[in-house]
Amino acid sequence: MDKNSTDIQELLPAYLGIPTFMRCPVTRDVSQADVVVMGIPFDSGATSYRNGARFGPRKIREASLLMWGYNRHFDVSPLEHLNVIDFGDIDVDPTNIDTTLGLIATEVDRAISAGATVIALGGDHSITLPILRSYAAKKGPLALVHIDAHLDTEHGSIEHGTPFRHAAREGLLNTNAWIQIGIRGPGTHPQEINEAKELGAEVLEIDECFEIGIPAVIRRIHERIGDGQVYVSLDIDAVDPAFAPGTGTPEVGGFSSHQILQLVRGLRGLDVAGFDLVEVNPPYDSSDITSILAANIIFEYLSLLAVKQTSR
Amino acid sequence: MDKNSTDIQELLPAYLGIPTFMRCPVTRDVSQADVVVMGIPFDSGATSYRNGARFGPRKIREASLLMWGYNRHFDVSPLEHLNVIDFGDIDVDPTNIDTTLGLIATEVDRAISAGATVIALGGDHSITLPILRSYAAKKGPLALVHIDAHLDTEHGSIEHGTPFRHAAREGLLNTNAWIQIGIRGPGTHPQEINEAKELGAEVLEIDECFEIGIPAVIRRIHERIGDGQVYVSLDIDAVDPAFAPGTGTPEVGGFSSHQILQLVRGLRGLDVAGFDLVEVNPPYDSSDITSILAANIIFEYLSLLAVKQTSR
Amino acid sequence: MDKNSTDIQELLPAYLGIPTFMRCPVTRDVSQADVVVMGIPFDSGATSYRNGARFGPRKIREASLLMWGYNRHFDVSPLEHLNVIDFGDIDVDPTNIDTTLGLIATEVDRAISAGATVIALGGDHSITLPILRSYAAKKGPLALVHIDAHLDTEHGSIEHGTPFRHAAREGLLNTNAWIQIGIRGPGTHPQEINEAKELGAEVLEIDECFEIGIPAVIRRIHERIGDGQVYVSLDIDAVDPAFAPGTGTPEVGGFSSHQILQLVRGLRGLDVAGFDLVEVNPPYDSSDITSILAANIIFEYLSLLAVKQTSR
Amino acid sequence: MDKNSTDIQELLPAYLGIPTFMRCPVTRDVSQADVVVMGIPFDSGATSYRNGARFGPRKIREASLLMWGYNRHFDVSPLEHLNVIDFGDIDVDPTNIDTTLGLIATEVDRAISAGATVIALGGDHSITLPILRSYAAKKGPLALVHIDAHLDTEHGSIEHGTPFRHAAREGLLNTNAWIQIGIRGPGTHPQEINEAKELGAEVLEIDECFEIGIPAVIRRIHERIGDGQVYVSLDIDAVDPAFAPGTGTPEVGGFSSHQILQLVRGLRGLDVAGFDLVEVNPPYDSSDITSILAANIIFEYLSLLAVKQTSR
Amino acid sequence: MDKNSTDIQELLPAYLGIPTFMRCPVTRDVSQADVVVMGIPFDSGATSYRNGARFGPRKIREASLLMWGYNRHFDVSPLEHLNVIDFGDIDVDPTNIDTTLGLIATEVDRAISAGATVIALGGDHSITLPILRSYAAKKGPLALVHIDAHLDTEHGSIEHGTPFRHAAREGLLNTNAWIQIGIRGPGTHPQEINEAKELGAEVLEIDECFEIGIPAVIRRIHERIGDGQVYVSLDIDAVDPAFAPGTGTPEVGGFSSHQILQLVRGLRGLDVAGFDLVEVNPPYDSSDITSILAANIIFEYLSLLAVKQTSR
Amino acid sequence: MDKNSTDIQELLPAYLGIPTFMRCPVTRDVSQADVVVMGIPFDSGATSYRNGARFGPRKIREASLLMWGYNRHFDVSPLEHLNVIDFGDIDVDPTNIDTTLGLIATEVDRAISAGATVIALGGDHSITLPILRSYAAKKGPLALVHIDAHLDTEHGSIEHGTPFRHAAREGLLNTNAWIQIGIRGPGTHPQEINEAKELGAEVLEIDECFEIGIPAVIRRIHERIGDGQVYVSLDIDAVDPAFAPGTGTPEVGGFSSHQILQLVRGLRGLDVAGFDLVEVNPPYDSSDITSILAANIIFEYLSLLAVKQTSR
């Protein structure tokens, strides 16, 4: 597929024009889309510290205008190979997480039923649960690459610290192909990591990541995930606050921007069925560097999909 | 009552020490308190624009350390006459407004049952509803002075734009003694103000306030409220964003800081049963000027109570 | 004309969705438009101090999402009476003011040739010159209401301090119906105001505005302008930096937000042919209060047009 | 005296060049100077809340580049009539207020001994004491116009809350010609204002200023000060934090920028011997609006001196 | 000792409640304390560039609320093993460093006389001197691990650049067991490092740290310090400004957050008698990332003490 | 040459005094200068995203006051060996890039004709072209070390993305001795790097830099450049936005501050004829960390020159 129609837009300066994601068309018509980028500006699941991730999708779109179209790591211009639409934002209800999760699931269902790959822009991490529900309903339990400072397998009702416990308990995950990467920080109680492992996760703490290096981490991911369909959920707080200050629960001692890009590029070859990027919190950002990093990560997501498409 | 024990603390520089409200003791023991200052860091009711008011109570406490003890307008040092406690913050659930409203009501019940006056620090404006419920349950429908840029009588479920419709419908208000002051801004639909009036409110729009001047506004309040017990709810966005940028739904064209202080001081003589100050949103503040203004307003609240006490 | 289709959009929370101006459709098709809102993100004319106004249009659009649809001052919901389109941003060349001025003129020509009223979002004040050129070419010399801290009638080549000297010299203005309001600040040389007057302007300095009051200023405007078609150019630095810090050449001692809104509303009855709002400079804003004020001013522009339309 | 040599410099854009005060020459040679602008970056006297005023002089210089040369209120271009030098900053010792006060006095002595008028840029308010000492040693006790939110006549050792008690006690002031303007805010104890009055001050609280209006305040100043030599000390926190957020002890409910400029211009006709402007605290400023206001005030100081010079 | 009473508090969200250090009780009763966390908000010793570290203790306390209780590196929940109190802030006198140093010494004396370990939160680096004086008076000269970008062994009176010269000269240090780590940046004069060495310090410059790696640095520390009691003084500017922008004299090219945590954890096994963390300067921080890093470092301090206690 | 006269100035605290570059004298007399530091506050060439680099020279000067005089890496105090002047800023015309480029060339010509080495402080990257023109006119085509995230060899008219294409085409470069280091980020089109290579550049992308390490990068530079005269152009966006957020087109995944300093120090031994440092954009900086890094890089430039001078 040739998509030269986007050529001119890519060359516009980033300060100019209405900020849709990478200047893709805004539409709710998912029928022709290869990829549906959808904003989910819900942050009432941010129970631990700072909210404000409701402004994440808008700012990531704005930063995406810096994504001129060519990815030299994969020698691909993703928008030339993929029909990407900006779905806009899903309407959410800040006062009611249950209502909101239902609204999310409905829209994700529509997109994946139409055969598209979803890239969700959070919002806080609670939004991943309804996405996983929709995917599992359509495709069965998925493998999971979860990149984050926090396990998010806490006990309790649905909020941004618990989605993966719920997902595992609800049978949405292929827990034999589940890996968590970048975990660190003061924990709530000693059993946390063991509990995540009991749920099925392989846990790669940040110290191990630093010791073995990103290429080895990538190998561990591929070994763990294998050939099945996989969902990728990336909490921007996996990255160190120096590189990503705009987040809700900053955790020092994390990945650099270079490392996170390496890591995401290393997902090449996995059969990724869907992606999210959550917890970008613009009111706490500094000069938009977190949103710009986030847009770069989404650009790598798109590139992974373009490479997958072109290598078929 | 002499409360010299606070004398030394008042003289500490504002940058020093643990920020409790005006260096009052932190306790959940309300039995001896004349006034209970309680933080309600709930902001999932902020459905229209920016959340972050969960950080309001903490920042107002910090700013309160600038409140050296003497009020020359009333010739009173409120902490010498009132036993004021800092109740700390009520635990809230950002994912569930109903649960939260119950938690608030429970704590407010305790304080007013013990005979104390509550001063609530929001949080968004949805927190006023459970407070009014508690007061009404104890004292019957109350008069209401509502100072705000917005009517907050919208239709719909409980959130920060609807508390007073719910309160009126639930019979919590003496609607014959209800006044709304400072209303302005683009409205959702033409019927809004009429609907507020149908619910019982007298509405003083900002233009009328500017035309007649604050002293006349004060007279209107006294005429409307009369002798009964009254609740005072002040949304900081009544003040212009130049003076109070740190708020969730900034509305240009509002009161100056001088005017809002005049207005609050003008409540002298009313039989105020309780107060709140809501929608202080520190992440959007500039150099803490909104929190400092808020602390000054609370200081005036305390002074009104001290004057009432000493004039008995 | 009924435009209920916009009803739902108006009710969306401001943090949600793609920020087009007041959620109006983005299109370059001006044929059906009553009003064309166009961004002109050019700021290389900002020769005196701070640039960055290129981000003005985007931020004003974002703030416009707070403009729920009803204006109680005029009892009108402008989007119900006017077909408003968001034209997006005109492409500009920061390295070349002449090229840019040509690009602006071309697009403005299209809009006014189609019978639409243009509302231009700057960008620095140099953008007003090509707009005036287009209008004059179509309609002959126009009356001018110029609200600003600065005269912008300096000598020299085209930049943001000189547009009105050029306009007057080029015969674009009906100089008998030209008024400048809000002028203040340290001047470059003693002759400045006299030179503006020699060009034809009536100059209302800020001190006179404060002394006679806004209603009297409004009367002066109407007396000066009369019945002819008039262009309105508003530099946000007419407003005091407390209310509008986000601008390129802040000038202390200016209008309050309440006063500027009063002033703009006072234009009711004039036969306004076009509007601009320039010098909103988001990188220097505080909590977006300048952009929010700007969006409110544009909302008043639209209301003036809606009132004019409905009163025909 | 004609000083056309500065003409070109005045026309330079404000973002360009080394920021000396209004592009005046930097020199320690006071022998030819009419006016010596000296920075005193000392802020260890800021005992109550925020320090950082050490960066005040630098930022005021930067903002002064916006002071194009002509003052239309007085029809004067001050730099054409006055030989103004930028003395640079006096070296200070943050760990030792006594040493620092000595250093200040030494430099001020030199300037006034050479016949120059000193304009001091603080720094916190403790710097006024050594300046008054130097002036009194040379000229005897001076009248004092003190514009401030705070009395600064507290008991205790020398710091920013006590300079005028020390000055009065040391006999540096003509206490019959001492007026304090703009006083407000929660006080430390009930006796404060009476104590200031006992020291000799006439105190104009902010409420009275707002009630009688700035022109009447000006009359009160002239009545109080009379014909003698007077020192003018202006703490920027006299202005409301909306207009001057960058200060150490913000006090809400103060003057607007327009009012403070009116007030300073109203000093015309007084025989001013020296000036200071203190407590500008750039780290807490917003978009430099406080520094820009401060630079405008200094520009009015210079204009007062130019008018005095030309009217001789 | 079981301290389950803290369990509930640890689970509170970080935005809620009065910010005492890790929600430990605030008390001046040191008699039962294992660890006394004391704030020392003195910053008049900041002679080189930016002050503002007086706000360090408050912000570190606020950030400490993110320290959920379990440390997986040491498999320990420090608050379960240590009785930690928040001593509040020591009163200081910004105008007088000598007075302040005396006040600090008095309070530190009390704490260590009661058998507690002190963790001091600065404030600028001058505060370390009186702490060392108190320790040396009680325990004799101590070994010293000094982590910093700067040597702080300059000549001259006591301020934040000179404490260790004074300490060495006063005999407070076991100079055979003194190491300085992270030194870098443009120096004042060529002899600096040699002079530090002549005083007794082993100096590990940042380049050597990067070359040999943190584990080797840790070995060097242990070799140098040995078995004796050691004091740990950490200036946050040892960390790169990207990770710790909120400091007074930022020095580029420093440690990452991961490296500093590694380094502090590497102190395990040393017989640490006391700790400080200085030069956290919140007004210059970005999104509180410096304070959050500081709180994490203190959490590691506590963990070192808990491990030491449990391994006895 | 002994330059002890600067000794005292170096010891002044950084917050004090007029910010000239490292307190060097400001003069346009280049006749005695070894090094001419000139500000070029032009940023209308910033066509891709954010402008504001016009404030770069001023802020770098301010940060340079932290550069105490001794460089321990080279055991040299550059100001003792070099006569460095601060030329101030070149006047520029934001509305006209051609005029501006002429103005730059004129001033650079003067400096190099007098035998001085130029260190230019940008401004955006378009300013490099006229500098190269002046150097080439005097010395013939130069080798070029270009450190940047972007190739800046795009097609099109002169702006900040095209200078090196123009330079190569104009024959200003010895293209056999041209190397580009740090290149990364989404590209405009697949041919970009090949086109740069076709122009003559050796391109070291960031991934290769990270893989081989900075010492190997340095070797590659020396191999490529050899013995001829070389110009060094460093765009601060070569550094990661975590370390240098204050820039116009932030590109994630870049060098750390330690790495960039290593890299610049590694230029020792090259015969550097001139330097620039561009795209420092203070309005987008965080706590001035970008400007401080920039000042450190210039300090290394000076040190390279001092070492070259002393080793002759």
Side-chain angles (χ1 to χ4, degrees), chain A residues 146-162:
Chain A
H146 172 210
I147 304 172
D148 199 331
H150 308 99
L151 295 160
D152 290 358
T153 51
E154 291 173 27
H155 295 264
S157 63
I158 300 168
E159 36 93 340
H160 74 156
T162 64

Side-chain angles (χ1 to χ4, degrees), chain A residues 153-221:
Chain A
T153 51
E154 291 173 27
H155 295 264
S157 63
I158 300 168
E159 36 93 340
H160 74 156
T162 64
F164 298 108
R165 170 171 296 274
H166 286 271
R169 286 289 168 83
E170 295 180 13
L172 313 177
L173 304 180
N174 171 1
T175 54
N176 293 321
W178 175 13
I179 188 164
Q180 299 188 296
I181 298 152
I183 306 305
R184 63 186 186 276
T188 307
H189 59 84
Q191 297 77 31
E192 284 178 330
I193 287 183
N194 286 339
E195 288 179 356
K197 291 177 179 170
E198 285 163 19
L199 287 169
E202 177 178 345
V203 179
L204 261 180
E205 296 189 55
I206 195 77
D207 285 320
E208 192 171 356
C209 296
F210 279 127
E211 277 160 29
I212 66 178
I214 301 298
V217 171
I218 291 167
R219 284 192 295 275
R220 289 277 288 275
I221 294 172

Side-chain angles (χ1 to χ4, degrees), chain D residues 137-198:
Chain D
K138 186 69 64 185
K139 297 171 185 279
L142 290 175
L144 177 66
V145 175
H146 172 210
I147 303 171
D148 200 331
H150 308 99
L151 294 162
D152 290 358
T153 51
E154 291 173 28
H155 296 264
S157 62
I158 301 168
E159 37 93 338
H160 74 155
T162 64
F164 298 109
R165 171 170 296 274
H166 286 272
R169 287 288 167 84
E170 294 180 15
L172 312 178
L173 303 180
N174 172 3
T175 54
N176 293 320
W178 174 14
I179 189 165
Q180 299 188 296
I181 299 152
I183 307 304
R184 64 186 184 276
T188 308
H189 59 84
Q191 297 77 30
E192 283 178 330
I193 286 183
N194 287 340
E195 288 179 356
K197 291 177 179 169
E198 285 163 18

Side-chain angles (χ1 to χ4, degrees), chain C:
Chain C
M1 178 175 50
D2 184 71
K3 295 183 49 52
N4 285 323
S5 59
T6 62
D7 280 7
I8 293 164
Q9 291 189 317
E10 286 167 22
L11 297 174
L12 287 177
Y15 62 83
L16 192 139
I18 310 294
T20 71
F21 189 80
M22 283 189 75
R23 304 197 186 279
C24 292
V26 179
T27 175
R28 297 256 155 166
D29 176 3
V30 298
S31 60
Q32 304 301 316
D34 298 311
V35 183
V36 173
V37 177
M38 52 171 67
I40 310 183
F42 179 75
D43 58 3
S44 293
T47 56
S48 47
Y49 194 32
R50 296 166 170 165
N51 50 4
R54 56 174 65 178
F55 290 102
R58 183 171 293 164
K59 269 296 180 185
I60 295 172
R61 285 189 185 97
E62 199 174 318
S64 78
L65 304 185
L66 282 162
M67 299 300 103
W68 329 112
Y70 175 69
N71 188 327
R72 62 176 65 105
H73 288 86
F74 298 134
D75 188 23
V76 72
S77 293
L79 296 190
E80 292 180 9
H81 300 282
L82 300 167
N83 190 5
V84 180
I85 65 165
D86 186 334
F87 190 79
D89 290 340
I90 294 177
D91 199 3
V92 298
D93 181 349
T95 68
N96 195 319
I97 197 168
D98 292 326
T99 307
T100 297
L101 266 50
L103 292 165
I104 297 170
T106 302
E107 301 293 0
V108 173
D109 280 347
R110 284 182 50 213
I112 58 182
S113 296
T117 300
V118 168
I119 298 180
L121 314 177
D124 71 65
H125 220 152
S126 67
I127 68 160
T128 301
L129 183 61
I131 301 174
L132 290 173
R133 284 172 177 167
S134 293
Y135 268 102
K138 187 69 65 185
K139 298 170 186 278
L142 290 175
L144 177 67
V145 176
H146 173 211
I147 304 171
D148 199 331
H150 309 99
L151 294 161
D152 289 358
T153 50
E154 291 173 28
H155 296 263
S157 62
I158 301 169
E159 37 93 340
H160 73 155
T162 63
F164 298 108
R165 171 170 296 273
H166 286 271
R169 288 288 167 83
E170 295 180 14
L172 313 178
L173 303 180
N174 171 2
T175 54
N176 293 320
W178 174 14
I179 188 165
Q180 298 187 297
I181 299 151
I183 306 305
R184 63 186 185 276
T188 306
H189 59 85
Q191 296 78 31
E192 284 178 329
I193 286 183
N194 286 339
E195 288 179 355
K197 290 178 180 170
E198 286 163 19
L199 287 169
E202 177 179 345
V203 179
L204 262 179
E205 296 189 54
I206 195 77
D207 285 320
E208 191 171 356
C209 296
F210 278 128
E211 277 159 30
I212 66 178
I214 301 299
V217 172
I218 291 168
R219 283 192 296 274
R220 290 277 288 275
I221 295 172
H222 283 264
E223 289 165 17
R224 179 72 177 167
I225 300 301
D227 294 338
Q229 292 210 4
V230 59
Y231 186 82
V232 174
S233 183
L234 192 154
D235 185 323
I236 199 68
D237 70 19
V239 181
D240 194 274
F243 299 85
T247 195
T249 318
E251 204 65 76
V252 298
F255 292 117
S256 71
S257 59
H258 180 73
Q259 289 173 317
I260 196 75
L261 290 173
Q262 260 192 298
L263 193 50
V264 173
R265 287 176 195 137
L267 302 181
R268 180 175 184 165
L270 296 184
D271 186 13
V272 185
F275 299 88
D276 65 50
L277 196 163
V278 298
E279 300 283 358
V280 172
N281 196 324
Y284 296 93
D285 205 358
S286 164
S287 204
D288 295 345
I289 66 173
T290 310
S291 297
I292 294 171
L293 177 57
N296 273 273
I297 292 171
I298 308 287
F299 182 66
E300 298 298 335
Y301 286 175
L302 288 175
S303 303
L304 291 169
L305 292 173
V307 166
K308 180 171 136 185
Q309 177 128 330
T310 57
S311 62
R312 273 171 188 166

Side-chain angles (χ1 to χ4, degrees), chain F residues 288-311:
Chain F
D288 294 344
I289 66 174
T290 310
S291 297
I292 294 172
L293 177 57
N296 273 273
I297 291 170
I298 308 287
F299 181 66
E300 299 297 335
Y301 286 175
L302 288 174
S303 302
L304 290 170
L305 293 173
V307 166
K308 181 171 136 185
Q309 177 128 328
T310 57
S311 62

